[in-house]
Amino acid sequence: MAVTRAQQPVVTTPAPLPLRSRLAHPALLLTGIVLVALNMRACLAAVSPMVGEIQRTFGLSATASGLITTVPVLFQGVGAPLTPRLTRRFGAERVVLGAVLVLGAGVLLRVLPSVFALYAGCVVIGVAIAVLNVSMPGLVKREFPDRAATMTGVYSTTMLVGATLAAGTSVPLEHALGGGWRASLGAWSLLALVAAVAWLPQVLRSRQEKTAVAAAAQPGKPIEGIWKSPLAWQISLFMGISSLLVYTLVAWMPTILADHGMDRGQAGLVFAFSNLVQVAGAFLVPLMAGRMTGQRALAVTMAALNGLGIAMLLVAPVSAAWVSAAVLGVAQGGSLGLGLAFIVLRTGTAAGAAQLGGMSQAIGYLVAAAGPVGAGALHQLTGGWEATLALMLVLVLVVGAAGLGAGRNRTL
């Protein structure tokens, strides 16, 4: 019996996955987020061990040298409010790619043989990091709506890992490359280039989603009257003053220990240990926050640990140095992670997260920039560190009060 054409079995081959589906693979997205996050603190931390050499190269005063680390922090605050507008106009993916490329350009600009280029590079770096700081919470909120706090812990931890690696490898890189501080600092532009290449699939994917899929995935409407919201201000104050405490101790903790008789080498090790412990705090605290309906107790705990660590520096700076470093590491890393988690937990949309991120980080970094300078001025005025540390303890109370408000189970 002959088999008719209609009766012949039809052999089908599976259609290849659409390009958009391949580009949307979670592993690609996670790789891109991690590599972008590695850049968000590395180029700031890398410069700290090189400040003395930069000062000698250009004949800078101590105040002018301090601006090398202060200017990027200041311009993170200045650049933050502009980012939500950029993301609404161009999309988060393209904005992140542009910011990473601008960051790499700023790193190269900073090492050109000119004082003007040095500070111009610091400005560019600060603005680029501001854009990334604000873009990432909204992007995480959109891509991982059910695991936003967990992913916040991943990228906040990665930021601190990048900073730790950069601070620890700047001097070895200088020796390995043989080009002095310029070669060492300039090498970090390669990390930005790698991150840009890794992020490119997300940009290509977003360009293909300008159809009904894109319409269904709009990031949502911005929050009306956010600058008048008590909750937004409480989150902003929690982030701002927590950041001020961090940057003040980043600038002065080794000096405080050395001024009380500790060997400078050992003081540096204590400080490095504190930075290492921050990684654990930045990872674990957002994970805990995501499993709670309210985070008031967690916010107050972070404030209390900050207060305990600062009090130990005030009362027994040398004998309790390692313990205070551990306590402060948990508090500082945890406060960073919790502040970023507040942005995604207290908002209902990606657009709202980007908008709250812009406000909180604008306030946060403008406040934080005053910390190192103010602490140095108060030390110069009083001749000791007691007044500075006492004032920091007062600010811890403000952080705790802001955390009580920010940790309530409410949404903007």
Side-chain angles (χ1 to χ4, degrees):
M1 179 178 179
V3 179
T4 66
R5 194 174 184 84
Q7 293 173 319
Q8 290 178 358
V10 178
V11 179
T12 60
T13 56
L17 285 172
L19 177 61
R20 187 179 66 226
S21 299
R22 297 199 301 273
L23 294 176
H25 195 284
L28 273 177
L29 178 59
L30 182 60
T31 301
I33 288 174
V34 166
L35 285 171
V36 169
L38 277 174
N39 281 273
M40 291 169 66
R41 292 294 181 273
C43 62
L44 299 179
V47 79
S48 296
M50 301 293 172
V51 168
E53 292 186 47
I54 297 171
Q55 182 180 5
R56 288 189 292 273
T57 298
F58 292 111
L60 301 176
S61 66
T63 303
S65 300
L67 289 174
I68 296 170
T69 53
T70 301
V71 165
V73 177
L74 181 63
F75 276 86
Q76 284 180 62
V78 173
L82 306 175
T83 308
R85 241 179 243 180
L86 292 173
T87 56
R88 285 196 296 270
R89 181 171 180 180
F90 300 106
E93 289 84 1
R94 282 193 287 176
V95 168
V96 168
L97 177 64
V100 171
L101 291 173
V102 169
L103 178 62
V107 170
L108 292 176
L109 179 59
R110 188 174 59 179
V111 300
L112 294 179
S114 160
V115 174
F116 174 80
L118 172 68
Y119 289 111
C122 292
V123 170
V124 172
I125 287 169
V127 173
I129 292 175
V131 173
L132 294 173
N133 281 338
V134 178
S135 300
M136 294 301 284
L139 196 145
V140 167
K141 180 76 175 179
R142 189 193 72 197
E143 296 291 339
F144 304 96
D146 300 323
R147 293 176 292 164
T150 301
M151 288 305 302
T152 298
V154 169
Y155 87 79
S156 61
T157 301
T158 307
M159 285 194 300
L160 293 177
V161 169
T164 303
L165 289 174
T169 59
S170 281
V171 175
L173 267 178
E174 181 182 22
H175 297 321
L177 298 175
W181 63 267
R182 288 193 172 93
S184 177
L185 295 184
W188 294 101
S189 63
L190 295 176
L191 181 60
L193 181 60
V194 170
V197 172
W199 190 253
L200 193 58
Q202 307 312 316
V203 177
L204 297 175
R205 183 193 69 167
S206 70
R207 290 181 64 182
Q208 293 193 5
E209 291 181 345
K210 293 179 179 178
T211 57
V213 175
Q218 285 296 315
K221 294 181 180 179
I223 302 165
E224 294 184 7
I226 189 171
W227 287 88
K228 297 179 181 179
S229 166
L231 178 57
W233 275 99
Q234 287 158 350
I235 293 170
S236 299
L237 285 175
F238 181 86
M239 288 197 67
I241 300 176
S242 296
S243 298
L244 181 147
L245 298 175
V246 170
Y247 280 103
T248 300
L249 290 176
V250 164
W252 296 112
M253 185 178 177
T255 305
I256 292 171
L257 296 174
D259 285 355
H260 284 88
M262 180 177 283
D263 176 74
R264 288 191 175 272
Q266 187 178 1
L269 289 175
V270 171
F271 178 61
F273 171 68
S274 183
N275 287 334
L276 186 61
V277 176
Q278 283 187 40
V279 174
F283 181 70
L284 294 175
V285 171
L287 291 182
M288 296 168 64
R291 297 181 180 182
M292 299 176 174
T293 54
Q295 296 79 28
R296 302 179 81 180
L298 198 55
V300 171
T301 300
M302 292 301 103
L305 289 174
N306 257 317
L308 178 60
I310 293 167
M312 283 191 282
L313 278 180
L314 179 61
V315 176
V318 175
S319 59
W322 289 96
V323 178
S324 64
V327 172
L328 286 169
V330 173
Q332 292 174 350
S335 295
L336 169 67
L338 183 58
L340 294 172
F342 279 151
I343 294 172
V344 297
L345 293 172
R346 299 283 91 90
T347 53
T349 66
Q355 193 178 3
L356 178 58
M359 174 182 172
S360 61
Q361 300 201 44
I363 294 170
Y365 286 107
L366 289 173
V367 170
V373 177
L378 191 55
H379 169 65
Q380 187 172 349
L381 182 65
T382 62
W385 293 105
E386 291 77 12
T388 297
L389 294 171
L391 180 57
M392 291 173 71
L393 285 175
V394 174
L395 292 176
V396 163
L397 298 177
V398 181
V399 170
L404 282 173
R408 290 175 296 169
N409 185 23
R410 296 178 60 188
T411 303
L412 285 166

